Amino acid sequence: MRFLIAYFFLFLSGNILSQNIGVINDKDGYTNIRKESTVNSNIIGVILEGQTFQYSPSENKNWYKLNFNHLEGFIHSSRVSDIKSLGKSYKFSDNQIDKNLPKYEQPTIDSNRNKKFTRQIDGKPITYFLNHTSIDIYSKMYYQGIYQISDSEITFNLLDSVTTDNIDTRKFYLFNFSNILQESDGALSEAIGSYCLNYLKKYPLEVNLLKTKLYQDNSYEKFISFSAFEIYFSENPYEELDNLFNDIMYNYSEYEQELLFIKKDIFTILKTELKNN
């Protein structure tokens, strides 16, 4: 019996020691994780400089298969440095995701979900935000593809972040918010409308940013639909819509024409829903 236990631990330790552990080697400070071993495959996540991951050879010799915090995909071999080859002098960056990581129940990650990644936001490289000390770790994890949204307090906090007063980080939160708009379904889709309205009330002039090419093509339409859906369930939807924009225009009277277009878009969807139901 003691022999079997000893053999088991030798076998286990041998497997652990034989695993390839790598870090990225990329001048941009991050590398994309692809769904398949080709540059034309969908990006499903990113790895930052200093973050470690397990990797192994794939059928395509130019690509490695990797496992990074429950996220499985492919990374180009030219972007990988093995830990063993770096020696003891290698120093990890402070941005390792698994460093002091809060505990949460990791859902199954769907690599087919409709999500967008970007090289920069508002003229700043994406690594600026992913290393920003004022941005919470779950927002970074969501962007990187290693946290999946659900009907949970963590996700609701991600949504609430878009109304931050910090103008330096708000564009990053809005980018995440636009991706969540695409992915929301079930119970989460029923809750997201209130966060859309909160953002509209606080930063009405920024809503049109969702029309720009930085965000997915239908981000603005999704935002308008969720907003209309939330108003639909009020006691008097048309009155609720009028009161909402009266309050907004009181503070932004010089932008009345621009805001009326947003109101009209919400009204159009609201009218259709009320007519059909």
Side-chain angles (χ1 to χ4, degrees), residues 127-187:
T127 48
Y128 171 83
F129 299 99
L130 294 175
N131 291 315
H132 203 297
T133 56
S134 296
I135 294 177
D136 69 279
I137 191 168
Y138 282 113
S139 293
K140 297 174 183 178
M141 289 170 63
Y142 172 69
Y143 177 85
Q144 288 191 257
I146 53 178
Y147 173 73
Q148 186 175 354
I149 58 170
S150 60
D151 182 16
S152 68
E153 184 178 353
I154 293 173
T155 297
F156 295 144
N157 287 338
L158 294 187
L159 291 168
D160 197 45
S161 297
V162 77
T163 57
T164 178
D165 293 328
N166 188 337
I167 192 171
D168 191 39
T169 61
R170 193 163 65 243
K171 297 290 179 63
F172 176 78
Y173 286 128
L174 182 60
F175 188 87
N176 271 352
F177 191 87
S178 70
N179 272 323
I180 296 175
L181 290 175
Q182 308 294 329
E183 297 185 68
S184 296
D185 56 17

Side-chain angles (χ1 to χ4, degrees), residues 155-274:
T155 297
F156 295 144
N157 287 338
L158 294 187
L159 291 168
D160 197 45
S161 297
V162 77
T163 57
T164 178
D165 293 328
N166 188 337
I167 192 171
D168 191 39
T169 61
R170 193 163 65 243
K171 297 290 179 63
F172 176 78
Y173 286 128
L174 182 60
F175 188 87
N176 271 352
F177 191 87
S178 70
N179 272 323
I180 296 175
L181 290 175
Q182 308 294 329
E183 297 185 68
S184 296
D185 56 17
L188 182 57
S189 65
E190 296 177 6
I192 199 170
S194 63
Y195 295 94
C196 291
L197 290 183
N198 287 340
Y199 183 72
L200 175 60
K201 292 173 186 176
K202 194 167 184 180
Y203 303 112
L205 301 180
E206 294 183 8
V207 171
N208 282 325
L209 289 173
L210 294 171
K211 295 180 180 179
T212 62
K213 64 180 181 180
L214 174 63
Y215 306 94
Q216 297 200 53
D217 292 342
N218 64 341
S219 291
Y220 175 80
E221 288 74 14
K222 287 274 189 179
F223 182 94
I224 295 298
S225 294
F226 281 121
S227 298
F229 181 80
E230 184 69 17
I231 295 172
Y232 171 82
F233 286 100
S234 61
E235 186 174 344
N236 190 326
Y238 290 137
E239 183 179 333
E240 182 76 14
L241 181 62
D242 285 338
N243 290 338
L244 170 65
F245 275 87
N246 286 339
D247 290 342
I248 292 174
M249 289 180 187
Y250 179 80
N251 296 313
Y252 297 91
S253 56
E254 66 271 34
Y255 299 99
E256 180 177 352
Q257 198 62 39
E258 184 177 342
L259 294 171
L260 282 175
F261 279 117
I262 298 175
K263 180 182 180 182
K264 180 182 177 182
D265 290 337
I266 295 177
F267 174 81
T268 300
I269 294 177
L270 188 60
K271 182 180 179 181
T272 301
E273 288 298 318
L274 289 170

Side-chain angles (χ1 to χ4, degrees), residues 23-24 29 47-52 90-93 95-96 98:
V23 292
I24 67 162
I47 300 179
L48 297 180
E49 180 182 347
Q51 294 177 331
T52 58
Y90 182 78
K91 293 183 179 180
F92 290 103
S93 302
N95 57 22
Q96 292 183 81
D98 54 1

